[in-house]
Amino acid sequence: WYQRRVREAVVSTQSTGSSGINAEYRVDSRASKILMESLMYKMCYYRFGEVTVDHRQPAGFDRTRDAVIGDKNVKLTHVEEAFTTTNWLVRIYKVKKPGNRNEVKKHKSKKDKPLKSRK
């Protein structure tokens, strides 16, 4: 499912020439920069470059797409892996707390006083 959504995003951002849309979809080293920077690609292939599924294939080989993934060193900045099943069919991520922003302090004014309850 994620591949279809990413492809739609990639195709919609690329300008089409006179020959029409090139619907080629790649996850290997020739994949588009837009695809490889997408959050869905990163969430799908996070730590995938460390995995060897077959002794005859290199690490990061995607058997479904018959290709070695283009970015074997995916880094996540806004989410972290919470759970992955042994066969990697289900992957759950947790959104990290924003550590790059300072807490905003509200300036209290006289107008910010709590309202008194009426009796």
Side-chain angles (χ1 to χ4, degrees), residues 105-119:
K105 295 181 181 180
K106 285 188 170 184
H107 175 69
K108 291 189 175 185
S109 68
K110 292 179 182 178
K111 294 179 183 179
D112 291 339
K113 289 182 181 179
L115 298 174
K116 293 181 182 179
S117 62
R118 297 181 188 175
K119 292 186 180 182

Side-chain angles (χ1 to χ4, degrees), residues 64-83:
T64 304
R65 286 155 199 89
D66 196 30
V68 177
I69 61 170
D71 185 1
K72 292 184 183 181
N73 194 23
V74 173
K75 301 280 188 225
L76 299 174
T77 54
H78 301 291
V79 294
E80 62 187 0
E81 183 179 21
F83 175 78

Side-chain angles (χ1 to χ4, degrees), residues 54-103:
D54 187 351
H55 69 280
R56 296 169 291 189
Q57 301 295 343
F61 184 79
D62 187 337
R63 290 186 295 183
T64 304
R65 286 155 199 89
D66 196 30
V68 177
I69 61 170
D71 185 1
K72 292 184 183 181
N73 194 23
V74 173
K75 301 280 188 225
L76 299 174
T77 54
H78 301 291
V79 294
E80 62 187 0
E81 183 179 21
F83 175 78
T84 299
T85 57
T86 54
N87 56 8
W88 290 48
L89 289 178
V90 176
R91 302 192 79 186
I92 300 172
Y93 291 89
K94 178 178 133 181
V95 178
K96 291 181 181 179
K97 293 185 179 182
N100 61 348
R101 291 184 260 172
N102 295 330
E103 188 176 325

Side-chain angles (χ1 to χ4, degrees), residues 21-49:
I21 296 174
N22 180 7
E24 184 178 43
Y25 172 75
R26 305 184 70 95
V27 296
D28 60 5
S29 60
R30 293 177 45 201
S32 72
K33 183 178 177 182
I34 294 170
L35 172 67
M36 291 175 66
E37 290 179 354
S38 72
L39 183 60
M40 285 192 282
Y41 180 91
K42 289 179 178 184
M43 290 172 71
C44 181
Y45 289 117
Y46 176 67
R47 293 191 317 114
F48 197 77

